[in-house]
Amino acid sequence: MKPAPRTILHPDLYPGTTQKDAKAEALRKRANEAYANGDFEEALTHYSASALHDPTEATTWSNRSATLLQLDRAEDAFDDAERCLWLDPAFGKGYLRRGAAEWRLGRRADARASYEAGLKQDPGNVRLMEELARCEARADTEPAQAARAAVFRTMLVSPSLDVEGLFELLQAPERLTAAAVSERAQSLDALLEYLCRTLECDLVVLRDCAPLREAYDRATFACGQLLGAEPGAASRLNCAPRVVDALRHALRCGWRMEQRCRSHGVAKFAANALAVLAAAPDALDSIRRRAARHLLGATTQWLLDATPEPSPLSEEGDDNDSDGEPTNGDTQSTSSENRNPLRDEAARRKERQRVVCGCAALSPRLSAASWLERLFERGAQPWVRDECEHFRDAELLALHLCVVVRDERAPPLGLPGVIKACGDRLMSSTLEADAFVRPGWRWDAAIRVARRGGIEEEPEESEQRGDEESDEKLARRLQRRFDDEAVQRARSDANGPPAARLGEWLAASLGYLLLFV
């Protein structure tokens, strides 16, 4: 039997392979044949296997996105298109896939923005031109028009539905009971349908409209609070499927609405609601399974995002401004003793703002581990285990969760649950690694070492850096140097580490982790 591909976990392609894998290419060809024959389920199976062998091939993710669209799974198709463009930002078909998924999801302005971005990368792409022309023929694809329509709904429709009354109910735990939800089912359905329209708003509109971002935050809170407090009764509302799907969109766009230090609450609140609903024994089975699928898909995307926690070194200036400290010449006369209490208070306030639903992480990767832990905190429920077994990217989910728990100190208790739920699939997959390279959590350490003069730079590196190089760029360059050295050391070993079943490797990593618990 041909051995599995030798994999390198690298921060930019994580995990990625050192060279093109023949097995991945053969699987993609089989998937292409199945797609051409209209057998989209088989095509999905082969594309997923190909992506597992070679996760760095943008074409595979693009083709799987098209397959998911054929299966009417637009949000999953959007995820794969995003992954494709992350790997190859100049790939025109990736923008076509993303725009098609956004159009199917009703986000017309986002679709138009995707086609416009694609034409900047691939100006001669005829398909992109045709799709953009179709968008330009509709007024609702123009961001300003979409923003006006959304603001109209927020300002004029909201009072007639007594949204404030809903928030008063949600903020009174003693009143928010299963009986209260059942009694108000009709009015709650109308209110939640309205809030879902806010949650389905285009991302390009949210980025440019502060009032809509505030409305989006409130809508996420309302839907999440209701599902999280009374998942059984809420799952029986007529609008429950749409609410769960709307929170799925909040999972995706929450990290992108604003700077992470201000927008992470949307993603976290949506994830908490879906985790609670997915594990609820009294919820409708179809709704809790839907929630579990959405949570697994979103957390996998978060785990694939190697963006690190924001550097505290880059936030010092924000602390000064936010506390009203002098920023002109008066700063020179202010003693360090007077500034320290203000800085300490700002740091404490920022730390309190980090925590949403018990999660303090400000990176998608670390946050994902928190919500998977919450999903399995009552054990692997039968329906959750079933959804994990059928999840298309179960192997990637388990692999990345293991690394983020083991090497980045993420919350650990979700890892045993995933391993237990996906055991059969994990034991049928083989992993052979050349080197395990940690992702971006070392950036801050790299900056501190560099500032202390603990790193000897090559002459050409010193010239590249210059005086204006940001902390982030400096850390990226230093980290790439560290990781390249680790990879070269691993390649110089003629034997290399032995291949193992993925399940065995995960179990060994879990045992390593338990030594420190």
Side-chain angles (χ1 to χ4, degrees):
M1 179 182 294
K2 183 178 178 180
R6 297 172 66 83
T7 301
I8 287 181
L9 301 186
H10 199 276
D12 285 344
L13 300 174
Y14 190 86
T17 53
T18 57
Q19 58 187 357
K20 294 295 181 182
D21 178 49
K23 181 68 172 178
E25 181 66 24
L27 286 166
R28 187 166 70 251
K29 288 182 178 178
R30 291 175 62 184
N32 291 342
E33 292 173 1
Y35 185 95
N37 294 330
D39 192 344
F40 301 117
E41 289 289 353
E42 183 180 355
L44 178 61
T45 299
H46 293 316
Y47 282 134
S48 300
S50 178
L52 189 60
H53 276 268
D54 184 3
T56 71
E57 179 54 60
T59 303
T60 303
W61 298 99
S62 172
N63 291 354
R64 198 175 78 160
S65 176
T67 304
L68 288 165
L69 270 179
Q70 294 292 341
L71 295 171
D72 200 24
R73 293 164 59 176
E75 194 77 43
D76 294 333
F78 173 79
D79 287 342
D80 280 4
E82 286 274 273
R83 184 68 179 163
C84 167
L85 293 174
W86 187 81
L87 291 168
D88 185 0
F91 189 49
K93 276 191 177 180
Y95 295 96
L96 276 172
R97 307 301 188 215
R98 189 174 72 181
E102 289 165 336
W103 187 274
R104 187 79 60 87
L105 291 166
R107 289 154 45 193
R108 316 294 194 195
D110 281 346
R112 177 173 176 168
S114 290
Y115 298 138
E116 290 173 343
L119 283 172
K120 290 180 181 179
Q121 297 290 337
D122 188 4
N125 192 304
V126 177
R127 284 286 309 283
L128 284 170
M129 294 178 186
E130 292 173 352
E131 294 300 327
L132 179 59
R134 181 165 68 102
C135 288
E136 290 175 340
R138 294 178 57 119
D140 58 353
T141 65
E142 206 279 321
Q145 178 67 24
R148 284 193 292 271
V151 170
F152 175 83
R153 291 196 304 269
T154 302
M155 301 302 178
L156 297 184
V157 180
S158 173
S160 66
L161 290 175
D162 191 23
V163 174
E164 294 303 323
L166 172 62
F167 280 99
E168 291 178 5
L169 172 65
L170 296 175
Q171 292 171 348
E174 69 280 359
R175 296 172 54 199
L176 186 57
T177 62
V181 173
S182 300
E183 290 172 3
R184 303 183 179 204
Q186 186 172 357
S187 62
L188 284 175
D189 274 325
L191 285 165
L192 292 174
E193 287 284 349
Y194 157 73
L195 293 175
C196 284
R197 294 190 66 186
T198 302
L199 291 178
E200 294 160 357
C201 187
D202 295 84
L203 183 56
V204 293
V205 173
L206 289 171
R207 284 173 175 165
D208 297 332
C209 186
L212 280 181
R213 288 198 298 271
E214 182 178 353
Y216 198 98
D217 188 82
R218 284 164 57 85
T220 305
F221 166 79
C223 295
Q225 182 75 355
L226 183 60
L227 290 180
E230 289 296 337
S235 69
R236 289 167 172 79
L237 294 172
N238 293 332
C239 66
R242 185 176 182 182
V243 173
V244 173
D245 289 347
L247 288 176
R248 173 186 59 185
H249 178 43
L251 288 174
R252 266 63 170 195
C253 75
W255 296 102
R256 308 177 190 180
M257 286 167 54
E258 295 183 273
Q259 296 178 11
R260 186 171 302 125
C261 60
R262 294 197 298 268
S263 67
H264 62 102
V266 167
K268 291 179 180 178
F269 216 93
N272 179 70
L274 292 182
V276 172
L277 177 60
D282 58 339
L284 280 181
D285 188 62
S286 60
I287 300 299
R288 66 191 181 191
R289 284 176 177 271
R290 196 186 199 104
R293 287 193 297 273
H294 294 343
L295 187 65
L296 291 172
T299 51
T300 300
Q301 295 302 312
W302 292 3
L303 287 168
L304 291 169
D305 186 345
T307 305
E309 293 270 295
S311 169
L313 295 172
S314 64
E315 295 178 1
E316 292 178 358
D318 295 338
D319 290 346
N320 294 343
D321 293 341
S322 63
D323 287 308
E325 277 197 64
T327 56
N328 52 23
D330 294 339
T331 306
Q332 304 291 335
S333 61
T334 304
S335 68
S336 60
E337 289 80 5
N338 292 334
R339 287 201 304 268
N340 285 339
L342 293 172
R343 231 172 244 174
D344 292 344
E345 177 58 30
R348 286 192 292 269
R349 185 174 69 252
K350 284 192 174 185
E351 185 62 30
R352 289 193 297 269
Q353 292 172 347
R354 289 170 63 105
V355 181
V356 177
C357 300
C359 176
L362 290 183
S363 74
R365 286 174 61 79
L366 297 178
S367 183
S370 297
W371 308 119
L372 290 170
E373 181 175 272
R374 194 154 300 178
L375 178 64
F376 291 102
E377 65 183 357
R378 299 181 183 180
Q381 302 283 13
W383 57 90
V384 174
R385 183 182 302 179
D386 186 54
E387 292 300 327
C388 287
E389 290 175 352
H390 293 89
F391 180 51
R392 66 189 185 282
D393 290 326
E395 295 88 353
L396 281 179
L397 171 65
L399 174 63
H400 286 280
L401 178 61
C402 180
V403 174
V404 78
V405 166
R406 191 190 66 182
D407 296 346
E408 301 177 51
R409 302 185 182 92
L413 299 183
L415 179 58
V418 170
I419 293 175
K420 184 176 180 180
C422 306
D424 291 341
R425 284 183 60 177
L426 299 179
M427 290 303 290
S428 64
S429 301
T430 303
L431 174 76
E432 186 174 349
D434 286 327
F436 291 97
V437 180
R438 294 173 179 174
W441 69 271
R442 296 192 304 169
W443 287 15
D444 290 348
I447 293 172
R448 288 193 292 271
V449 172
R451 286 186 170 180
R452 289 200 305 266
I455 295 178
E456 296 181 3
E457 293 185 303
E458 299 294 335
E460 59 272 17
E461 289 182 340
S462 181
E463 293 176 2
Q464 289 176 359
R465 189 178 71 179
D467 295 332
E468 302 299 325
E469 183 176 32
S470 67
D471 286 341
E472 181 175 327
K473 289 182 179 179
L474 169 62
R476 279 181 181 272
R477 186 163 52 79
L478 292 173
Q479 182 189 334
R480 172 57 66 84
R481 177 181 166 188
F482 297 155
D483 295 339
D484 286 345
E485 291 173 357
V487 171
Q488 291 301 323
R489 285 195 300 271
R491 288 177 179 170
S492 64
D493 184 353
N495 296 322
R501 288 188 179 91
L502 180 56
E504 293 173 345
W505 178 81
L506 290 167
S509 297
L510 185 60
Y512 170 82
L513 177 68
L514 290 175
L515 293 175
F516 300 94
V517 174

